[in-house]
């Protein structure tokens, strides 16, 4: 119980944000405590001002925001944000047939709406979520693949850009989390063989770089299948990233499992609950709550890890951007393009961590 | 935990060694042609972006010299050249992809060599394109011959025959160089264009495409004259499936022979009425060439009608008005001093 | 754990079949046998498929290729290598390059990470905010994007002819960083030996000083004598050899620079990318470590009148390191693994060379197996070292 | 070991332990313990810490497995037969020292979990049952709170109610009051006394000698894994036979 109560007891804040302190006191305490402090503050502030002035100068004042002529950009001393305007479609959608890009836009809208609704506790009820996900899966599938309703068929090898990143990420989490839970349970199982299998699996995959796992998924795995059997490459890659993700996540969940006091198992046993009943209703709900912050970190890491597919030539948003930056006319403005991609990742990463913080609050207040 | 890690390690090691040390045995062959027919399309492994040979346009439609040979196979099998699915393969992925059956045929700038024929378990159809190692350099560096590249940084793709050829070319002349080896083609070209390397080396035939499409000012780059190695590019299939190999081989010959017999995309319908027995056999008016290969007797007609003969294909992508203009040189028929020699189709 | 020692249960032997079927110990065995059999069968099935696939297509197998001649050159090697060496040696070159870039990356990441981590808990609000922003940004941008970005930055530096000159000490160009280097001299080996000797002597002297202090209670400050030993001995050797001071200056020559030493663009880009990325995580680890030492500890140390230096040395550091070192090690391992993205920008690390080998030989299974094994060994060795360290510093508790 | 604890009544015991021994690796925690508990009987087990009293009752519902001897519950032998274990556990409720409530479930959910999952009761019926027992332990108003929002005494009463929801015939109490602040001990003991008065068969491991004196039919004293003495409370407190019992009682009653 101590673990849960320590979860609920929020750490005492170092300072009370609502306390009204006078500005001078605050300044003295935080910026000008001593001579050295003040000196440091001045130097840092000077550097900061220079930096922000540079950003303003380069990124706003002298920047070109819209033009179709790269020479206009060349003439400017500031940033060329026009490259993003000009190239946003190949960057965001990769090799997907140009005329069909509207399908990807629609897909992303459906995807984001579905995800946002699913993350909202108010809508956590299966009668809403199950139809929603069936609808989302079917419509996203129809939009991405086509071949129905008069939509042109688009093979997975032509998918790309941000939608691909989203699908890889979603697939990784949806496939990886159950695998992670199973591996974590296996590693804590009363059966030595199950423990052994899980340990070998987890440790050998955690010991190698993701790249080698992608190599296996792309180059070696097909050899493991009987002749004539084929598994879609995109699926193989997704499963590869998912299993890699699961091995790290399993260790996090194991930490949560270890934190559950023995008494919880005993109480469940004395109520005559079976192993799976105990795991499902007593152990996992607590273990997942305990390890939530670490789980979130790995989920965000999984999103970043999707970018590794550049190595095997999948056209995610990063690969697509590097390809776009091949255009000799716009090549010079790679900084702007990569900043844009970085901003996309930062945005989604930040959104995820904000949500995770909200979930922790909900847990603390007993809402979930 | 350490103990378990070590155990895991040794288990994995023994697995890997077990796979590798397995005895070799010849097993029955798969039937690719039947599989292709059942699937309704040919899976063709192509280069992700090599102008002139294979590249998707901005609408995602593939075009190029090798792409057309994929279409030719589809035309032969289905009578419909469009029944192809293109699988873009990096140089690293190409051999595992054909070995594992991810693609039916590799039309991806593969140089036919002995070790690839044997150790990789490939079978090579007749070369469709003869080329050699070429070097793209900046004009204002004042490089005129290979000796001028002494000490240069040279960009190249890993695992290509080029990588080995350059090592030999330089070693034979007592020259040194620094290889910059990058798998991702975009990154590779980028490294040359931005000036990381003094030279970009690829198959000679691939360099004009880079110059035309990837450099800011194509006229600022030149290709070194001379041919430094043999690079016969050929379509490759898996070993152990002779029927499929035969088909790919004869599709190649058919394009040669059609050109030799003067059967082109423009005149193929008229030529169907030709009195020449060779033309008649070629176009399936007489004989049963198609049946012997397991396809429709009008297979060559379909190829020429929908894709063209060798010359049609060549001119479409390397003709004088294409961005990647290339002289035919060795890639002319034997009758015109080139190396293309189609076996008789009797 | 749901149940204690199922193996030793059962007050009396089972009497009939039904009893056996329902007995917990029997079920435990059955489940495990079933699991083991399933795993074994799956393994056997996959193995069979690989063998069938490889042999049907007549693909070469085995590790014999490691002894074949590689026939390709490698851009950066720290050991002698030419295209006439074997694939095995080429892979070794790659491994050494992996370790080199990782070692450099670890040093840089640690320096930045500790600085930022300390700034994160600084009492200066401004500095603390900047450190926080830095951590959030470098941690949340994919490492591969950072590496590609730095590669692009360096490629877009001027060509050697217009190289940026660095105060006469070197040049920065799209061929990397070229800088002055002392001309190799026999003295250098001896200086290195002197350095090692100096460190050993300094350690011994400190130990003696400690014994002296324990015996007599008198404190001898060994800080400056130690510095003198470590820095002075090599200096002395250098003077003995007549102070060889020939220095090789890089000169523009042909396509590139002659003389001096050069760090390749790929090395710099890769190292910058992976070390900046890791530095964000290290900063967080350091912050957690610093905050893990309760204030009371420092106050207690002050109350027994320890000097600040001793408070740091004997109270704060040991406790902080205990919190910092384990996650730091796994961060190092992950940095080593991240170095494998060298393949994207063309630094010849293990994976990049392995990639070439895979292409040349067509033996994807074996080549990938070699790569995986090497990384697995690296991480196992690291965790062994880690465990040894943990045993060393573990707080003795009951 | 004398078989002195066998009561002279003729009805068959609901719990019967014969020469039960248990080891934790090399350490023997139970030495040939025999004990009979009849229907409606209230047994208090006491003894110094580490004497094996908790282990003893944990063997009865197999939270620990004994290694020799026999345990019968309602005539069914406790072996490693999973069916027997399940049947026996359904008949036995257990209350722990640390309550072991499920902190992520509300009080009501804690109570309905067992009936719904193992007895396959409908949700409504299980909630009715739960409210019935919550009223019995006098905290029906806390039904929708989370365990950690309750006081220790309230939590332990919820734990008792949770066990009762399984409608067991026997209740085991493993030091139910030793984790509680003094002012909360009484409310829990009161609940237990009411339960005893309703005729429940109970085995209680406790240091509350007052409870033993007023409620127990039989007091068992354990030391070093052995059953040292077993007697009705008046004999046990008034005239202990064994020296060890006397020493123990002296220590515990002095304060």
């Amino acid at each position: 119980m101590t673990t849960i109560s320590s979860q609920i007891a929020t750490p005492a804040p170092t300072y009370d944000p609502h306390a009204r302190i006078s500005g001078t006191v605050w300044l003295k305490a935080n910026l000008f405590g001593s001579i050295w402090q003040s000196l440091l503050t001045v130097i840092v502030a000077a550097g900061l001002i220079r930096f922000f002035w540079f950003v303003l100068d380069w990124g706003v004042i002298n920047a070109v925001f819209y033009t179709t002529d790269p020479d206009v950009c060349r003439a400017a001393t500031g940033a060329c944000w026009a490259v993003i305007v000009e190239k946003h479609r190949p960057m965001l959608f990769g090799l997907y047939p140009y005329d069909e890009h509207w399908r990807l836009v629609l897909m992303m809208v459906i995807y984001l709406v579905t995800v946002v609704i699913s993350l909202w506790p108010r809508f956590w009820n299966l009668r809403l979520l199950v139809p929603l996900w069936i609808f989302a899966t079917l419509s996203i599938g129809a939009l991405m693949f086509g071949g129905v309703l008069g939509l042109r068929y688009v093979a997975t090898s032509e998918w790309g850009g941000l939608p691909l990143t989203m699908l890889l990420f979603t697939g990784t989490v949806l496939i990886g989390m159950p695998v992670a839970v199973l591996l974590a349970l296996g590693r804590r199982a009363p059966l030595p063989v199950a423990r052994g299998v899980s340990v070998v699996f987890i440790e050998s995959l955690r010991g190698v770089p993701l790249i080698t796992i992608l190599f296996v998924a792309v180059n070696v795995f097909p050899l493991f299948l009987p002749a004539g059997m084929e598994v879609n490459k995109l699926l193989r890659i997704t499963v590869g990233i998912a299993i890699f993700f699961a091995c790290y996540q399993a260790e996090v969940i194991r930490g949560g499992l270890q934190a559950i006091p023995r008494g919880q198992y005993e109480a469940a046993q004395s109520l005559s609950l079976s192993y799976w009943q105990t795991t499902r209703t007593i152990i996992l709900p607590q273990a997942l709550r305990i390890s939530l912050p670490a789980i979130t970190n790995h989920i965000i890491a999984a999103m970043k890890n999707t970018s590794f597919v550049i190595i095997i030539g999948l056209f995610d948003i990063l690969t697509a951007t590097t390809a776009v930056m091949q255009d000799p006319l716009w090549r010079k403005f790679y900084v702007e393009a990569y900043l844009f991609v970085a901003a996309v990742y930062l945005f989604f990463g930040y959104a995820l961590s904000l949500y995770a913080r909200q979930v922790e609050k909900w847990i603390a207040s007993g809402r979930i | 935990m350490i103990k378990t890690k070590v155990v895991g390690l040794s288990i994995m090691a023994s697995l890997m060694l077990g796979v590798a040390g397995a005895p070799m045995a010849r097993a029955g062959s798969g039937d690719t042609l039947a599989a292709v027919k059942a699937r309704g399309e040919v899976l063709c492994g192509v280069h992700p972006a090599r102008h002139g040979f294979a590249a998707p346009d901005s609408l995602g439609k593939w075009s190029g010299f090798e792409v057309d040979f994929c279409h030719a196979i589809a035309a032969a099998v289905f009578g419909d050249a469009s029944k192809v699915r293109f699988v873009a393969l990096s140089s690293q992925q190409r051999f595992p992809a054909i070995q594992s059956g991810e693609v039916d045929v590799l039309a991806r700038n593969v140089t036919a060599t002995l070790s690839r024929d044997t150790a990789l378990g490939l079978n090579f159809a007749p070369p469709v394109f003869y080329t050699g190692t070429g070097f793209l350099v900046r004009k204002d560096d004042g490089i005129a011959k290979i000796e001028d590249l002494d000490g240069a940084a040279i960009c190249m793709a890993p695992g290509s025959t080029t990588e080995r050829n350059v090592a030999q070319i330089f070693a034979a002349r007592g020259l040194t160089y620094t290889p910059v080896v990058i798998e991702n083609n975009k990154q590779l070209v980028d490294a040359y264009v931005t000036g990381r390397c003094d030279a970009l080396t690829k198959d000679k035939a691939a360099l004009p495409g880079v110059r035309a499409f990837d450099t800011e000012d194509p006229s600022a780059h030149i290709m070194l004259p001379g041919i430094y190695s043999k690079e016969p590019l050929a379509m490759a299939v898996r070993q152990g499936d002779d029927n499929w190999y035969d088909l790919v081989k004869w599709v190649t010959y058919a394009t040669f022979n059609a050109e030799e017999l003067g059967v082109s995309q423009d005149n193929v319908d008229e030529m169907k009425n030709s009195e020449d027995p060779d033309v008649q056999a070629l176009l399936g008016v007489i004989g049963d060439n198609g049946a012997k290969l397991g396809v429709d007797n009008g297979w060559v007609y379909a190829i020429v009608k929908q894709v063209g003969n060798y010359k049609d294909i060549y001119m479409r992508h390397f003709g004088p008005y294409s961005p990647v203009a290339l002289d035919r040189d060795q890639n002319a028929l034997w009758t015109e001093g080139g190396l293309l020699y189609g076996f008789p189709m009797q | 754990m749901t149940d204690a020692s199922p193996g030793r249960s059962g007050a009396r032997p089972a009497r009939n079949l039904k009893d056996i079927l329902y007995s917990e110990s029997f079920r435990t065995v059955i489940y495990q046998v079933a699991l083991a059999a399933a795993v074994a069968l799956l393994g056997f099935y996959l193995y069979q498929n690989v063998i069938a696939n490889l042999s049907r297509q007549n693909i070469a197998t085995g590790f014999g290729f490691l002894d074949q001649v590689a026939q390709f050159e490698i851009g950066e090697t720290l050991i002698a290598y030419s295209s006439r060496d074997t694939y095995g040696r080429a892979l070794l070159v790659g491994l050494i390059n992996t370790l080199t870039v990782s070692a450099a990356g670890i040093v840089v990441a640690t320096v930045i990470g500790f600085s930022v981590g300390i700034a994160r808990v600084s009492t200066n609000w401004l500095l603390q905010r900047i450190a926080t922003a830095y951590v959030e940004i470098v941690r949340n941008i994919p490492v591969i994007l950072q590496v590609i970005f730095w590669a692009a930055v360096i490629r877009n530096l001027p060509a050697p002819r217009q190289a940026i000159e660095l105060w006469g000490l070197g040049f920065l160009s799209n061929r990397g960083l070229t800088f002055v280097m002392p001309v190799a001299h026999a003295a250098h080996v001896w200086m290195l030996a002197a350095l090692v000797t100096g460190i050993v002597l300094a350690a011994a002297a400190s130990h003696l000083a400690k014994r002296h202090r324990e015996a007599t209670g008198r404190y001898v400050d060994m800080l400056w004598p130690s510095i003198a030993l470590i820095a002075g001995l090599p200096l002395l050797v250098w003077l003995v050899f007549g102070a060889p001071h020939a220095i090789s200056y890089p000169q523009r020559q042909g396509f590139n620079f002659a003389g001096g030493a050069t760090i390749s663009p790929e090395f710099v880009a890769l190292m910058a990318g992976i070390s900046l990325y890791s530095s964000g995580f290290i900063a967080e680890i350091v912050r957690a470590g610093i905050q893990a030492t309760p204030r009371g500890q420092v106050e207690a140390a002050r109350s027994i009148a320890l000097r600040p230096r001793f408070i740091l040395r004997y109270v704060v550091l040991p406790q902080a390191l205990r919190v910092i070192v384990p996650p730091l090690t796994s961060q190092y391992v992950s940095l080593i693994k991240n170095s494998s993205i060298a393949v994207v920008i063309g630094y010849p690390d293990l994976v990049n060379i392995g990639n070439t080998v895979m292409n040349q030989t067509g033996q994807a299974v074996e080549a990938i197996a070699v790569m995986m094994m090497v990384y697995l060994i690296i991480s196992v060795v690291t965790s062994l070292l880690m465990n040894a360290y943990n045993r060393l510093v573990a707080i003795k508790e009951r | 070991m004398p078989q002195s604890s066998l009561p002279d009544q003729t009805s068959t015991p609901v719990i019967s332990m014969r020469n039960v021994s248990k080891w934790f690796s090399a350490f023997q925690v139970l030495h040939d313990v025999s004990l009979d508990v009849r229907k409606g009987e209230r047994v208090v087990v006491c003894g110094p810490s580490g004497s094996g009293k908790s282990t003893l009752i944990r063997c009865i519902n197999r939270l620990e497995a004994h290694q020799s001897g026999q345990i019968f519950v309602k005539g069914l032998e406790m072996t490693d037969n999973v069916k027997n274990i399940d049947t026996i556990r359904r008949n036995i409720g257990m209350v722990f020292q640390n309550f072991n409530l499920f902190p992520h479930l509300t009080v009501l959910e804690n109570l309905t979990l067992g009936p719904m999952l193992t007895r396959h009761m409908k949700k409504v019926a299980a909630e009715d049952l739960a409210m019935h027992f919550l009223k019995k332990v006098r905290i029906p108003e806390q039904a929708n709170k989370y365990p950690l929002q309750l006081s220790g005494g309230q939590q332990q009463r919820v734990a008792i109610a949770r066990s009762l929801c399984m409608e067991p015939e026997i209740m085991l109490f493993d030091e139910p009051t030793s984790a509680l602040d003094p002012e909360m001990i009484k409310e829990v003991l009161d609940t237990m006394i009411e339960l005893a008065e309703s005729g429940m068969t109970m085995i209680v491991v406790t240091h509350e000698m007052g409870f033993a004196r007023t409620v127990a039919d039989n007091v068992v004293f354990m030391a070093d894994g052995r059953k040292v003495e077993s007697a009705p409370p008046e004999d046990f407190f008034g005239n202990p036979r064994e020296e060890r019992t006397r020493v123990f009682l002296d220590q515990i009653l002095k304060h």
Side-chain angles (χ1 to χ4, degrees), chain C residues 18-329:
Chain C
K18 210 175 155 193
D19 256 16
I20 295 177
L21 283 182
Y22 278 113
S23 90
E24 208 167 35
S25 42
F26 175 73
R27 291 196 169 186
T28 310
V29 172
I30 281 299
Y31 292 146
Q32 303 203 67
V33 168
L35 181 63
V39 170
L41 273 178
L42 182 70
F44 181 72
Y45 171 74
L46 297 178
Y47 174 81
Q48 277 293 317
N49 281 334
V50 176
I51 297 310
N53 283 328
L54 293 183
S55 58
R56 187 181 57 242
Q57 295 159 39
N58 220 349
I59 299 170
T61 53
F63 287 98
F65 71 90
L66 289 175
D67 293 328
Q68 291 167 13
V69 177
Q71 296 180 41
F72 60 86
E73 289 287 349
I74 299 176
E76 288 169 65
T77 64
L78 285 180
I79 55 172
Y81 171 85
S82 81
S83 56
R84 283 177 296 281
D85 282 313
T86 61
Y87 284 123
R89 192 166 176 90
L91 287 169
L92 182 65
V93 170
L95 172 60
I96 291 173
N97 281 340
T98 290
L99 294 177
T100 312
V101 75
S102 305
I106 283 173
V107 172
V108 173
T110 309
V111 170
I112 300 178
F114 270 74
S115 315
V116 177
I118 291 166
R120 279 278 270 142
V121 292
S122 158
T123 48
N124 189 308
W125 181 85
L126 208 54
L127 197 61
Q128 191 204 338
R129 285 293 128 150
I130 292 175
T132 309
Y134 172 84
V135 168
E136 289 306 322
I137 288 172
V138 294
R139 279 201 315 176
N140 286 307
I141 299 176
V143 57
I144 212 156
L145 171 56
Q146 299 194 33
V147 169
I148 288 176
F149 175 78
W150 290 116
V153 167
I154 295 172
R155 276 183 203 149
N156 282 283
L157 287 173
R161 261 165 236 152
Q162 296 89 37
I164 303 165
E165 218 175 318
L166 303 171
W167 313 286
L169 295 175
F171 296 96
L172 194 61
S173 71
N174 60 12
R175 301 306 164 85
L177 179 65
T178 308
F179 50 87
V180 295
M181 195 69 178
V183 175
H185 189 278
H188 293 156
V189 181
W190 291 104
M191 282 169 70
L192 196 67
L195 182 72
V196 174
T197 319
I199 292 172
V200 170
L201 283 180
S206 303
H207 185 68
L208 280 180
K210 193 178 158 204
R211 294 248 311 258
H212 178 72
R213 191 190 70 220
E214 281 164 1
T216 65
R218 228 169 310 148
Y219 176 72
V220 187
D221 193 336
M222 289 305 294
L223 185 66
W224 290 110
S226 299
I227 291 174
L229 269 175
I230 294 170
L233 272 182
L235 193 70
L236 198 68
V237 171
W238 185 66
L239 290 173
V240 166
F241 272 90
H245 56 272
I247 286 182
S248 163
Y249 287 95
Q251 307 284 334
R252 290 190 185 86
Q253 184 190 315
F255 300 106
N256 216 324
F257 295 97
T262 299
I263 303 178
S264 77
E266 292 79 24
F267 184 95
V268 177
L270 181 62
M271 197 201 69
I274 59 178
S275 59
L276 291 182
Y277 181 71
S278 285
S279 71
F281 292 90
I282 292 176
E284 282 304 276
I285 292 167
V286 170
R287 180 185 62 87
I290 294 171
Q291 289 177 341
T293 309
R295 264 199 86 70
Q297 296 281 321
V298 178
E299 284 162 6
R302 279 204 198 115
S303 75
I304 55 171
L306 280 184
R307 295 188 213 173
R309 203 208 298 168
F310 292 151
I311 295 180
L312 192 68
R313 166 77 184 77
Y314 291 103
V315 179
V316 176
L317 265 187
Q319 298 193 47
L321 282 185
R322 197 171 288 121
V323 178
I324 289 174
V325 171
L328 190 62
T329 321

Side-chain angles (χ1 to χ4, degrees), chain A residues 150-188:
Chain A
L151 293 174
R152 196 182 127 192
Y153 174 72
V154 181
T156 53
S157 54
E158 293 172 55
W159 296 9
L162 192 56
L164 183 68
T165 302
M166 284 174 170
L167 288 176
L168 279 171
F169 169 60
T170 318
T172 302
V173 175
L174 291 186
I175 300 170
M177 280 310 286
V179 177
V181 168
L182 280 182
L183 284 173
L185 289 175
R187 207 167 169 170
R188 300 272 304 160

Side-chain angles (χ1 to χ4, degrees), chain A residues 1 4-5 8 262-264 266-273 277 280-282 285-286 289 366-367, chain D residues 58 61 63-64 86 89-90 92 94 96 98 100-104 113-114 117-118 146 148 155 162 166:
Chain A
M1 296 238 178
I4 291 290
S5 54
I8 286 171
R262 202 183 147 79
Q264 293 287 310
E266 291 178 347
Q269 270 180 305
S270 73
L271 290 178
S272 184
L273 299 185
Q277 285 175 334
R280 188 166 53 81
T281 59
I282 311 295
Q286 295 188 55
R289 278 176 172 84
R367 261 188 82 184
Chain D
R58 287 159 64 86
N61 70 348
L63 291 180
E64 308 283 357
D86 198 49
R89 277 186 184 155
R90 282 172 195 228
I92 301 180
M94 179 140 187
F96 299 87
N98 290 319
N100 290 350
L101 292 175
F102 306 130
H104 60 297
L113 188 71
L117 286 180
T118 59
Y146 284 90
L148 293 177
Q155 289 190 48
R162 180 174 70 180
M166 296 295 286

Side-chain angles (χ1 to χ4, degrees), chain A residues 29-42, chain C residues 122-124:
Chain A
N30 292 301
L31 292 174
F32 302 104
S34 66
I35 297 190
W36 291 113
Q37 272 280 16
S38 312
L39 199 63
L40 188 66
T41 304
V42 169
Chain C
S122 158
T123 48
N124 189 308

